[in-house]
Amino acid sequence: MAISNLLTISLFCLLDVVAASLTSTGQTLLLNDIPYYVPANPFTTIPPPTSLNTVRSAGDLVPVTVVGVSASNSSLSTLESIINGFGVDDVWNEGFLEAILIEYNGGTAPPNATNASFTLPGGNQSSIVSALSSNGSSSTIPSGPYFVSSDGSLYQPLLLYSDFAGAFTQPLISNSDGTYAALPANTAGIQSPAVGVPSRLYYTATPEKPLAGIRLGVKDIYDIAGVKTSDGNRAWYGLFPPATANAVPVQRLVDAGAIIVGKMKTSQFANGETATADWVDYHSPFNPRGDGYQDPSSSSSGPGAGEGSYPWLDLSLGSDTGGSIRGPSQVQGLFGNRPSHGLVPLTGVMPLAPQLDTSGFLTRDPAIWSAAAKALYADLPLYSQYPKKLYTVEFPTGGDNEADSILLDFLSKLEGFLGTTSTALNLSTLWSSTHPAGVDADLDDFLNITYPILISKEQTMLVRDPFYAAYGAVHDGRRPFVDPTPLIRWAFGDSYPNSTLTEAINNKTIFQDWWASEVQPNDTTTCSNSLLLYSASAGGADPLYRNEYNGPPAVPYGFGTSRISPFAEVPDFVIPIGSASYNSTITLHTEFLPVTVDILAAKGCDGLIFSLVQDLQKAGIVNASLTGQTITGGEILLRM
Ligand SMILES: *[C@@H]1O[C@H](CO)[C@@H](O)[C@H](O)[C@H]1NC(C)=O
Ligand SMILES: *[C@@H]1O[C@H](CO)[C@@H](O)[C@H](O)[C@H]1NC(C)=O
Ligand SMILES: *[C@@H]1O[C@H](CO)[C@@H](O)[C@H](O)[C@H]1NC(C)=O
Ligand SMILES: *[C@@H]1O[C@H](CO)[C@@H](O)[C@H](O)[C@H]1NC(C)=O
Ligand SMILES: *[C@@H]1O[C@H](CO)[C@@H](O)[C@H](O)[C@H]1NC(C)=O
Ligand SMILES: *[C@@H]1O[C@H](CO)[C@@H](O)[C@H](O)[C@H]1NC(C)=O
Ligand SMILES: *[C@@H]1O[C@H](CO)[C@@H](O)[C@H](O)[C@H]1NC(C)=O
Ligand SMILES: *[C@@H]1O[C@H](CO)[C@@H](O)[C@H](O)[C@H]1NC(C)=O
Ligand SMILES: *[C@@H]1O[C@H](CO)[C@@H](O)[C@H](O)[C@H]1NC(C)=O
Ligand SMILES: *[C@@H]1O[C@H](CO)[C@@H](O)[C@H](O)[C@H]1NC(C)=O
Ligand SMILES: *[C@@H]1O[C@H](CO)[C@@H](O)[C@H](O)[C@H]1NC(C)=O
Ligand SMILES: *[C@@H]1O[C@H](CO)[C@@H](O)[C@H](O)[C@H]1NC(C)=O
């Protein structure tokens, strides 16, 4: 048989089955060598521009800058000053001045505006492709960068950034129906998915939308509608369908205007994992500080690494059961809050131990932090008067090293600000002299297994058992892969009778009541009778290299300062205050790691600490943290 006959037959078959569904998922393009994603659906449509042929275009798209001016103030100098202001936005670039779309708010466009040539700041010419009159706010097109097609479709592009720190599990875009989808775009770069962000120029914060335009990353234990949740486990990701609704904390932030840019890495099932060996299913994100090879802590590792690395990421939503927001905030030098327990319902969030689980933020900016907290926690009264009692626990007494000096310097400034002097507390001795009758007088013995029992007994029941059953049901009785850390913790729980859970909850409650009555009672004017400070990151005195071989993960026994807030249900906020040096075994060079303090107050007094941090910032005692090699900036090593 002739070959051409075969070809004819196969082509014929092909044509027969090609009645396929073909859906655009948008496109990527470069403007002035900067990568953008242009979504499939336009933001709006405008009357087809008449002079598009006068400008360069990619396919059918032309970059255009939309400028809203008021009809009474539309002079060239006004346009110039508005456009000059666009330079602060990271998404807009001068390439968008190929053409300008002027929107005259509340009036009629001058008849000769279209096709007019406009001289830009700097002397270049741009075409005014359209001049629209928008009469009434509902039809307003937000100013900023767009791409327009010849049929008048006007698209809001996303600028594509590289996730070089490996902080994201899945970059996302929002659909028009309130659900989300994977960003169908990438940039060049090995193991660095692109994350897309919209221009900040489109958004203005209002009382209803205080977080308008704030770019938010979400730890991948929170459900996001339309998207699968991984919980840091590949089998889990594969097994379960996409979430149908946003978790309650996520929805509150979206309602307040936050823009979700992606889901971020978590250690597996939010258990504590140390880089690198514990992270079997997914690679641990990279801590940008110092030599770039320090552990990013866990479990909100993605949020921590992302906030430390990316100036374009404003805010991350993490969770804290035993330190999962505080640890990453400490080692990455961020503001991070473990809130009072129970401030926001955790519907749609994977549990570790409901008695201890909390939802909070990691961020560089105290102002964004407070605004986000007001949106997340329905009831967050702020304060202007502060307690006169200031306690420290396990604080340095002399400036033996750089970190100690930084801590003591901060303490003395805080004492000055509050007009008080601090008192060192020894919790072991305080407990042994004031503990309730009938319980162990040794605090370390009393609470030694309380935390591991709570997390293991609750997570095996709420997560593991249903997971194993569902996986086995569709995989012929097989068991899914689970990382060593959760396995060791779950096995610990299995080795105790179920009644131990009740005992653990009881012990935790005894400690909580003791704390509220003996250590940090409420106060009618200052909410909490006291503030309490401890430190858990000593900068360069305490490096934790990710290329060191540690032993196998262990059961998290014991009591320490980081366990106070989970057991007492009180707020515990991390504040970055400086950097201390070390000689890196990686770079053979002096590098710097963050020094932070933790501040605690009575339960329900979260607003007191938010107020305090803002006032300390005004007083120059606390500064916003920056991305980079240190909390004051610097090029990140191995940035790609
Ligand atoms: C016109 O707009 C420019 C830019 O927004 C502004 O600086 C200027 O004050 C405005 N002038 C009047 C008269 O409103
Ligand atoms: C804008 O709206 C006002 C009030 O609704 C109306 O008087 C005016 O004619 C409108 N102007 C244009 C250009 O549509
Ligand atoms: C519109 O026409 C007026 C009067 O001819 C002229 O002064 C003005 O510069 C023109 N505007 C533009 C944008 O070309
Ligand atoms: C703009 O230019 C196009 C093509 O050059 C022309 O067809 C159109 O009439 C012009 N529009 C105006 C309002 O002058
Ligand atoms: C002006 O044009 C020059 C040459 O095309 C270009 O290098 C420059 O970036 C342009 N400036 C602006 C503000 O567009
Ligand atoms: C607290 O007091 C006990 C008993 O005196 C002592 O062993 C322990 O070291 C003290 N802890 C701190 C942090 O000073
Ligand atoms: C805590 O429990 C572990 C395991 O039983 C034990 O090895 C350790 O000594 C205990 N620590 C205290 C302070 O009781
Ligand atoms: C302990 O609790 C688990 C989870 O609820 C249950 O499957 C198991 O049967 C219980 N064990 C006993 C001995 O009651
Ligand atoms: C609770 O406290 C008692 C001592 O009062 C201790 O023996 C027991 O091990 C503790 N159990 C848990 C689960 O915390
Ligand atoms: C780093 O090494 C230098 C030279 O050996 C030494 O003087 C310095 O104290 C070291 N710095 C730290 C923070 O260990
Ligand atoms: C006051 O104390 C109670 C009991 O400890 C606690 O539940 C409450 O949240 C505290 N805070 C405020 C602001 O009332
Ligand atoms: C905060 O920044 C200001 C201005 O750069 C500086 O003077 C001050 O020392 C900084 N404070 C801290 C605690 O780093």
Side-chain angles (χ1 to χ4, degrees):
M1 190 187 287
I3 286 171
S4 60
N5 282 357
L6 278 174
L7 270 180
T8 311
I9 289 161
S10 39
L11 270 178
F12 198 78
C13 290
L14 205 59
L15 287 175
D16 206 32
V17 293
V18 143
S21 129
L22 183 62
T23 308
S24 170
T25 58
Q27 61 177 302
T28 58
L29 42 76
L30 296 174
L31 177 60
N32 288 353
D33 294 327
I34 298 168
Y36 290 89
Y37 166 72
V38 180
N41 296 318
F43 175 77
T44 189
T45 52
I46 59 170
T50 48
S51 55
L52 274 179
N53 53 349
T54 65
V55 293
R56 278 181 289 131
S57 64
D60 188 39
L61 294 180
V62 175
V64 57
T65 293
V66 172
V67 192
V69 294
S70 81
S72 60
N73 184 6
S74 61
S75 69
L76 276 185
S77 65
T78 296
L79 281 177
E80 255 184 44
S81 88
I82 294 174
I83 289 172
N84 273 328
F86 287 1
V88 301
D89 183 54
D90 55 346
V91 176
W92 185 86
N93 80 55
E94 285 176 354
F96 286 101
L97 290 178
E98 278 289 351
I100 294 173
L101 169 56
I102 298 178
E103 193 184 15
Y104 294 89
N105 293 320
T108 310
N112 62 350
T114 304
N115 288 2
S117 170
F118 174 65
T119 305
L120 299 169
N124 291 3
Q125 297 276 300
S126 183
S127 295
I128 296 175
V129 294
S130 279
L132 299 176
S133 167
S134 83
N135 202 14
S137 53
S138 64
S139 63
T140 302
I141 303 168
S143 294
Y146 289 79
F147 288 93
V148 65
S149 66
S150 56
D151 70 356
S153 297
L154 193 64
Y155 299 89
Q156 288 189 338
L158 302 179
L159 174 59
L160 298 176
Y161 281 111
S162 161
D163 177 24
F164 62 84
F168 283 80
T169 54
Q170 199 169 13
L172 298 176
I173 52 173
S174 59
N175 299 322
S176 52
D177 63 357
T179 65
Y180 293 80
L183 169 71
N186 215 335
T187 57
I190 187 164
Q191 291 191 357
S192 303
V195 183
V197 303
S199 170
R200 298 181 198 278
L201 297 173
Y202 306 143
Y203 305 100
T204 308
T206 62
E208 296 73 37
K209 302 271 181 203
L211 302 183
I214 292 287
R215 298 158 183 174
L216 171 72
V218 178
K219 182 178 184 177
D220 198 4
I221 65 166
Y222 287 84
D223 280 352
I224 292 183
V227 179
K228 283 169 161 249
T229 303
S230 79
D231 293 341
N233 180 279
R234 301 202 304 162
W236 184 284
Y237 184 83
L239 184 62
F240 295 112
T244 52
N246 289 334
V248 167
V250 172
Q251 189 59 46
R252 288 195 180 174
L253 298 172
V254 168
D255 289 344
I259 308 293
I260 296 175
V261 299
K263 292 193 119 183
M264 305 191 79
K265 277 192 189 150
T266 174
S267 50
Q268 201 167 82
F269 298 114
N271 284 274
E273 297 187 311
T274 305
T276 293
D278 293 350
W279 290 72
V280 181
D281 253 357
Y282 294 101
H283 203 41
S284 168
F286 285 83
N287 182 338
R289 309 305 193 184
D291 51 39
Y293 279 84
Q294 298 297 312
D295 188 78
S297 189
S298 69
S299 62
S300 307
S301 317
E307 290 295 325
S309 301
Y310 307 140
W312 45 265
L313 184 66
D314 301 314
L315 180 71
S316 297
L317 182 64
S319 69
D320 192 302
T321 303
S324 288
I325 286 173
R326 291 167 290 152
S329 300
Q330 286 153 0
V331 301
Q332 261 108 186
L334 305 168
F335 295 85
N337 67 304
R338 177 194 168 88
S340 297
H341 187 260
L343 274 196
V344 54
L346 299 182
T347 313
V349 192
M350 183 214 63
L352 178 50
Q355 272 76 16
L356 309 177
D357 291 345
T358 61
S359 172
F361 300 107
L362 301 89
T363 184
R364 298 176 302 276
D365 183 342
I368 292 176
W369 199 29
S370 295
K374 278 185 218 152
L376 181 59
Y377 313 122
D379 184 27
L380 189 76
L382 298 178
Y383 294 84
S384 54
Q385 269 183 287
Y386 298 109
K388 290 287 181 196
K389 275 206 176 93
L390 177 62
Y391 297 127
T392 60
V393 173
E394 292 176 21
F395 229 65
T397 48
D400 293 339
N401 60 40
E402 280 174 61
D404 288 354
S405 305
I406 290 166
L407 288 167
L408 290 175
D409 182 53
F410 174 80
L411 179 61
S412 97
K413 284 178 182 159
L414 182 60
E415 287 174 335
F417 179 84
L418 298 172
T420 189
T421 48
S422 59
T423 308
L425 284 191
N426 183 322
L427 294 182
S428 307
T429 54
L430 189 61
W431 171 264
S432 63
S433 59
T434 63
H435 69 86
V439 300
D440 205 315
D442 184 323
L443 189 57
D444 292 328
D445 287 342
F446 177 55
L447 295 172
N448 189 36
I449 61 165
T450 309
Y451 180 76
I453 287 292
L454 283 168
I455 59 168
S456 62
K457 279 290 177 197
E458 306 223 60
Q459 197 170 48
T460 50
M461 195 166 44
L462 298 171
V463 175
R464 181 195 62 183
D465 294 350
F467 175 38
Y468 282 6
Y471 188 89
V474 297
H475 292 291
D476 194 23
R478 288 181 173 84
R479 176 166 290 193
F481 175 82
V482 172
D483 278 358
T485 300
L487 281 186
I488 280 171
R489 293 168 170 212
W490 293 346
F492 168 81
D494 291 340
S495 72
Y496 281 83
N498 287 356
S499 58
T500 323
L501 176 58
T502 315
E503 202 185 283
I505 293 172
N506 190 41
N507 286 5
K508 174 207 162 278
T509 307
I510 291 170
F511 180 83
Q512 180 183 345
D513 293 345
W514 173 76
W515 191 268
S517 65
E518 297 296 329
V519 189
Q520 287 195 293
N522 288 354
D523 183 277
T524 46
T525 37
T526 61
C527 193
S528 176
N529 87 321
S530 63
L531 295 165
L532 185 147
L533 251 59
Y534 73 92
S535 176
S537 60
D542 206 12
L544 181 53
Y545 292 99
R546 58 187 289 146
N547 62 334
E548 275 176 6
Y549 292 89
N550 302 302
V555 174
Y557 293 115
F559 177 78
T561 48
S562 70
R563 295 269 181 270
I564 298 169
S565 52
F567 291 154
E569 303 198 346
V570 302
D572 180 343
F573 290 17
V574 178
I575 318 292
I577 56 168
S579 301
S581 68
Y582 69 113
N583 291 328
S584 167
T585 62
I586 309 283
T587 61
L588 308 181
H589 199 281
T590 302
E591 310 292 357
F592 292 85
L593 293 175
V595 178
T596 62
V597 285
D598 282 59
I599 302 185
L600 278 68
K603 184 176 181 188
C605 301
D606 300 59
L608 177 72
I609 314 183
F610 280 116
S611 302
L612 175 70
V613 172
Q614 296 207 58
D615 283 343
L616 291 177
Q617 187 181 19
K618 281 184 207 131
I621 298 171
V622 159
N623 284 334
S625 178
L626 299 181
T627 58
Q629 208 183 4
T630 75
I631 62 169
T632 53
E635 189 69 17
I636 296 169
L637 292 172
L638 290 183
R639 172 183 206 128
M640 286 170 275

